[in-house]
Amino acid sequence: MSTFLGMPAPPPRSPYGTGNLRGDRTFPAAAHDELRNGQLRRNLGKATRTIRGKRLHVTGELPDWEALRDAGSAIKTDTMNRLPELLEQLERNVTERGGTVHWARDGDEANEIVARLVRATGSSDVIKVKSMATQETGLNEHLESLGITPHETDLAELIVQLAHDRPSHILVPAIHRNRDEIRQIFLDEIPGVDPRLDNVPAHLAAAARAYLREKFMTTRVAVSGANFGIAETGTLSVVESEGNGRMCLTLPDTLITVMGIEKVLPRYQDLEVFLQLLPRSSTGERMNPYTSLWTGVTPGDGPQDFHLVLLDNGRTAALADTIGRAALNCIRCSACLNVCPVYERAGGHAYGSTYPGPIGAVLTPQLAGMHAAKDDPNSSLPYASSLCGACFDACPVKIDIPSMLVELRHQNTEQSGTTAEKLAMKAAAAVMGRPKLYTAAQKAAALGRVVGGRDGTLSHLPAPFSGWSDSRDTPAPPKRSFRAWLASAEGAATMRAAAEEGARHGDDHQEEK
Amino acid sequence: MRIGLFATCLGDTLFPEAVRSTAVLLARLGHEVVFPPDQTCCGQMHVNTGYQREPVPLVRNFAEQFGDASIEAVVMPSGSCAGSVRHQHEIIAARYGDAALRSGVATVKAKTYELSELLVDVLGVTQVGAYFPHRVTYHPTCHSLRMLRVGEKPLKLLRAVEAIDLVELPEADSCCGFGGTFAVKNAETSTAMLQDKMRNVCGTGADVCTAGDSSCLMHIGGGLSRIRSGTRTLHLAQILGSTRTTPYPLTEAAR
């Protein structure tokens, strides 16, 4: 027997070329097109502004909101610190209650497991509860390639699926569509829909409801994700708004749940924290309309065949990063998307991943890597932020996304070898690290005045600054730097006069006392 | 109080008036302003662009320049540079520095303030004897607002300015789109953010848009200049430094 256990290696990322964790263009290239879509800008601006207001209202009314955020953060940190033991505990409890647990090291494995389970039932259709994990693995595409038809049952997810489109928001996947577009999609794609359908939201919902009701009643297999999995009891949970989830989780004979391994929580009681944090942060509601909880199989009630697929797909790799691992604390509320000024302008598709917005910009590169191919689009994601910090303030589990973005930028430059940018940064640091050289450079910069226009501004700059100068004037450097002024006779006299006034002011102050 | 003034590389080189106003203001309030002559840059641009090895000498230089115990406080007319000193220098020192650097960084971090923090929290003044008879709107820069949590401090100072017509900026807390190299790497998204900020600024009818960071003002001001909006930008220090005896000579911005 060999005693060689193999060379230690970092845990694998989500394999290149699988699933939906990488776009085909960099963020700036994709944003270039999205920014030109006026309809998208208006939809996003309106939707995010509304949801921001609602969230602030319902988080502001809780006296212990900050304490809840601290509790959420602490529970998640504890969870990540002992993830292996909690997952094994979850597996034991699910198995004991009649469920079957499967371990998928990546998205392809998860897809194969689900497909095998569906085939075993003999069904050619599955109904689906909105699930980020199966979007991440590209499950629908995989099932379709095998002749199995997945039916999304969340209204927005249905719109996206019928339009052969991709979700652009974690919670509101069709946020980029307005009601006129949705009406047209339904008219084109729902068989037998009333051709007089108008764009009244209630009528659109009724059309979807009639279509979905038939699927709920006739499909024997459902696939769901999970918001939480409780290690202590083996209980799974899905929270939702429309009741479609409850239908999928209770009506079919077979239920297959795909859950990212980071969704586990230690105790049942932990739900008291997260069921407050999640709805208030995501939809701006005090409580979500439907909370479904199930534990294994209950004889004679609900699905009699329950499978839990635990998905890694790069999560262990993220866990191995001492700074990046906090991204695994995310509960997918999407509050960070709704407050992000970059997301609001560029939209979710610009990120190229199932996970858009600030959390996507830190989670995607960690799950799938930033250098899996030449000019990997994922390496542009950590830069898709002005580091304004609004996401950190909004996060219900206090993930310090700005610091993580800065960290990932550093990891990117460390892995990128020698670039023109790195040389420029080295040169800048070399000048700034030597005060005499720095002062000389300032004097040289002041000569830049000669290229300034009549009003002392520069309106065109060369690459890589041409994007900047397309919409901004830049002031020509002033004649004198601050330090040159301070060292001049004029500077000395001005400072002396101010100091004398300060001394008088001080005396007056003394007298007042 | 003996106060060390950090001009910041951008302020020293491109926006010396804001630094000058800071120096004169503090002297006028009766404090001793010292300018350690070998200061250069805090290294923020490097760190925020992903470079952490290169700025080590800059972080070290900052700690050396301002480490002197006779300097009771360090002030800079920039929320983002103060944020860099307070939040990023220790990260750089922990990763690529030695014990001496870590200790130097910790010492100087504890006495570093952005201008409005120094005035309101440390020196305990909101009335600085300023006079500025113009319509002004205030943009709270992201790092002042969310990294340093300066909150109402700049507004308290502005409200105490004689003859000022201070008007509220709608959606004030949204980012102007600068973000350092973000405005270069993602220039178009940055521009989309800038357009919304400018629309809000122009809607106030203000003569001046002010803030505590010359960098964000360079961005907003560069945009306002390009569209010939008639609104100009001034650093908070320049408004606080304007007095009845030496008022700021506000020239009309191009329309």
Side-chain angles (χ1 to χ4, degrees):
Chain A
M1 191 183 85
S2 167
T3 54
F4 181 66
L5 298 175
M7 291 297 286
R13 311 262 179 203
S14 172
Y16 183 77
T18 67
N20 296 313
L21 288 173
R22 181 176 278 104
D24 47 16
R25 297 185 290 173
T26 63
F27 184 87
H32 172 84
D33 291 345
E34 303 290 327
L35 286 165
R36 269 151 191 76
N37 184 341
Q39 181 74 59
L40 175 75
R41 288 272 292 279
R42 277 190 298 278
N43 290 2
L44 273 177
K46 187 166 187 294
T48 54
R49 200 167 299 125
T50 307
I51 208 162
R52 280 202 295 269
K54 283 174 73 179
R55 187 185 66 82
L56 283 176
H57 176 70
V58 297
T59 56
E61 71 182 10
L62 282 188
D64 61 346
W65 181 249
E66 287 307 312
L68 272 170
R69 290 176 75 206
D70 285 332
S73 173
I75 293 168
K76 279 292 187 179
T77 303
D78 169 50
T79 301
M80 297 315 148
N81 286 346
R82 51 197 188 94
L83 196 54
E85 70 179 68
L86 290 172
L87 288 169
E88 286 176 11
Q89 191 186 6
L90 176 70
E91 178 185 38
R92 268 198 310 280
N93 285 315
V94 169
T95 309
E96 235 165 61
R97 297 293 303 266
T100 308
V101 176
H102 310 258
W103 298 80
R105 96 192 64 193
D106 56 43
D108 279 357
E109 256 187 36
N111 291 347
E112 282 159 23
I113 293 166
V114 174
R116 177 162 49 78
L117 293 170
V118 175
R119 274 182 168 164
T121 67
S123 176
S124 59
D125 294 74
V126 297
I127 44 176
K128 285 191 71 203
V129 190
K130 181 176 151 19
S131 142
M132 299 307 296
T134 61
Q135 177 64 32
E136 171 189 329
T137 65
L139 176 67
N140 286 4
E141 296 87 322
H142 181 69
L143 292 178
E144 280 162 4
S145 75
L146 299 172
I148 300 167
T149 310
H151 302 282
E152 293 289 351
T153 64
D154 171 88
L155 178 54
E157 204 72 59
L158 174 68
I159 294 164
V160 168
Q161 188 184 32
L162 291 176
H164 313 287
D165 195 2
R166 287 182 304 127
S168 67
H169 189 283
I170 290 176
L171 186 82
V172 204
I175 197 168
H176 55 292
R177 298 286 191 182
N178 65 19
R179 58 168 96 163
D180 294 317
E181 294 174 291
I182 293 165
R183 170 179 171 271
Q184 198 55 50
I185 293 165
F186 282 6
L187 285 174
D188 293 344
E189 301 287 337
I190 294 184
V193 75
D194 184 347
R196 291 163 302 170
L197 181 66
D198 59 21
N199 69 359
V200 177
H203 299 166
L204 294 171
R209 169 192 282 257
Y211 171 73
L212 288 172
R213 190 57 54 125
E214 189 254 330
K215 302 291 173 207
F216 291 134
M217 301 310 289
T218 56
T219 311
R220 302 197 324 273
V221 185
V223 174
S224 85
N227 289 99
F228 310 105
I230 310 297
E232 176 186 60
T233 57
T235 305
L236 278 298
S237 177
V238 163
V239 300
E240 40 120 9
S241 297
E242 298 168 15
N244 65 302
R246 178 68 54 81
M247 292 284 200
C248 294
L249 298 166
T250 53
L251 287 174
D253 304 329
T254 301
L255 172 62
I256 306 162
T257 298
V258 182
M259 181 182 107
I261 52 174
E262 82 283 21
K263 297 275 170 222
V264 68
L265 287 176
R267 293 157 297 262
Y268 198 83
Q269 197 179 350
D270 297 332
L271 288 173
E272 76 181 16
V273 173
F274 291 98
L275 291 179
Q276 291 186 77
L277 288 175
L278 183 52
R280 285 178 197 261
S281 300
S282 57
T283 50
E285 294 169 304
R286 296 186 178 97
M287 190 180 173
N288 50 287
Y290 292 86
T291 302
S292 299
L293 296 148
W294 70 100
T295 308
V297 170
T298 304
D301 183 14
Q304 296 300 293
D305 190 16
F306 170 59
H307 297 269
L308 174 64
V309 182
L310 293 171
L311 175 71
D312 187 319
N313 208 28
R315 285 160 176 79
T316 304
L319 191 67
D321 187 312
T322 50
I323 297 171
R325 68 189 310 177
L328 295 175
N329 294 0
C330 172
I331 57 174
R332 311 282 188 266
C333 72
S334 67
C336 63
L337 277 62
N338 300 328
V339 299
C340 177
V342 173
Y343 176 88
E344 184 183 335
R345 272 62 176 207
H349 290 157
Y351 296 80
S353 162
T354 296
Y355 305 105
I359 189 63
V362 296
L363 192 58
T364 303
Q366 294 201 77
L367 295 180
M370 291 186 280
H371 296 90
K374 194 175 178 298
D375 301 325
D376 189 337
N378 280 355
S379 68
S380 69
L381 292 180
Y383 299 90
S385 166
S386 64
L387 304 178
C388 87
C391 48
F392 186 15
D393 276 8
C395 179
V397 291
K398 292 194 171 177
I399 302 173
D400 184 352
I401 296 175
S403 294
M404 214 175 282
L405 288 165
V406 169
E407 167 64 19
L408 288 170
R409 291 176 187 187
H410 180 52
Q411 291 181 12
N412 178 49
T413 63
E414 289 284 296
Q415 292 165 33
S416 293
T418 304
T419 60
E421 181 186 273
K422 185 176 280 182
L423 292 174
M425 287 288 170
K426 277 188 195 298
V431 171
M432 286 163 169
R434 295 178 180 79
K436 284 200 177 62
L437 201 53
Y438 172 77
T439 311
Q442 281 184 324
K443 287 182 183 144
L447 297 176
R449 291 178 66 75
V450 298
V451 297
R454 258 182 315 178
D455 53 355
T457 63
L458 312 171
S459 51
H460 296 289
L461 296 175
F465 302 105
S466 47
W468 160 278
S469 64
D470 279 347
S471 56
R472 306 155 189 92
D473 290 335
T474 308
K479 254 180 287 188
R480 246 187 335 205
S481 66
F482 170 75
R483 71 183 63 205
W485 173 82
L486 191 66
S488 71
E490 184 201 336
T494 307
M495 288 306 289
R496 205 162 41 240
E500 279 162 14
E501 194 189 332
R504 279 200 303 279
H505 176 82
D507 293 345
D508 293 349
H509 211 63
Q510 288 297 321
E511 282 160 26
E512 279 166 29
K513 281 180 185 169
Chain B
M1 193 176 222
R2 191 172 151 85
I3 300 166
L5 173 64
F6 179 55
T8 78
C9 61
L10 187 81
D12 188 11
T13 311
L14 278 185
F15 299 98
E17 281 191 43
V19 193
R20 211 182 297 170
S21 299
T22 306
V24 171
L25 171 65
L26 293 173
R28 188 160 63 68
L29 292 173
H31 301 284
E32 185 189 352
V33 179
V34 291
F35 183 81
D38 283 348
Q39 61 175 281
T40 58
C41 165
C42 68
Q44 184 195 179
M45 177 188 73
H46 286 91
V47 179
N48 283 349
T49 312
Y51 297 88
Q52 297 192 6
R53 296 175 193 272
E54 292 77 3
V56 171
L58 307 184
V59 171
R60 191 184 305 281
N61 186 48
F62 184 89
E64 281 169 6
Q65 291 294 308
F66 293 97
D68 189 334
S70 77
I71 295 177
E72 296 165 84
V74 182
V75 71
M76 53 203 71
S78 164
S80 63
C81 299
S84 173
V85 172
R86 296 226 295 252
H87 294 270
Q88 295 182 332
H89 281 196
E90 61 189 3
I91 296 172
I92 304 303
R95 188 175 253 163
Y96 296 118
D98 48 28
L101 184 59
R102 286 192 285 276
S103 137
V105 159
T107 305
V108 79
K109 167 189 167 172
K111 60 178 180 182
T112 291
Y113 303 94
E114 172 272 346
L115 179 61
S116 73
E117 291 179 320
L118 179 83
L119 291 169
V120 177
D121 291 347
V122 183
L123 305 179
V125 287
T126 47
Q127 171 54 263
V128 297
Y131 168 78
F132 195 77
H134 306 284
R135 177 173 279 206
V136 174
T137 196
Y138 169 72
H139 165 65
T141 63
C142 298
H143 289 180
S144 306
L145 193 68
R146 286 179 280 263
M147 208 177 210
L148 301 179
R149 307 279 176 198
V150 300
E152 285 276 292
K153 286 160 209 166
L155 286 168
K156 279 185 188 160
L157 291 161
L158 286 169
R159 284 186 201 119
V161 171
E162 188 187 345
I164 196 169
D165 175 16
L166 186 64
V167 288
E168 196 182 325
L169 177 65
E171 297 180 41
D173 62 355
S174 42
C175 178
C176 74
F178 178 58
T181 47
F182 171 76
V184 177
K185 286 175 182 281
N186 282 286
E188 292 176 287
T189 305
S190 167
T191 295
M193 291 158 71
L194 175 62
Q195 282 166 347
D196 291 342
K197 181 58 69 181
M198 291 196 296
R199 197 187 59 244
N200 284 318
V201 168
C202 295
T204 64
D207 304 307
V208 169
C209 172
T210 190
D213 270 277
S214 292
S215 54
C216 307
L217 288 174
M218 173 173 75
H219 185 239
I220 299 170
L224 291 172
S225 161
R226 176 61 56 88
I227 63 169
R228 306 182 84 75
S229 66
T231 303
R232 56 170 304 166
T233 49
L234 278 185
H235 193 282
L236 175 69
Q238 290 171 278
I239 293 177
L240 300 180
S242 168
T243 60
R244 266 196 181 276
T245 44
T246 48
Y248 183 86
L250 191 72
T251 51
E252 191 128 323
R255 278 180 198 277

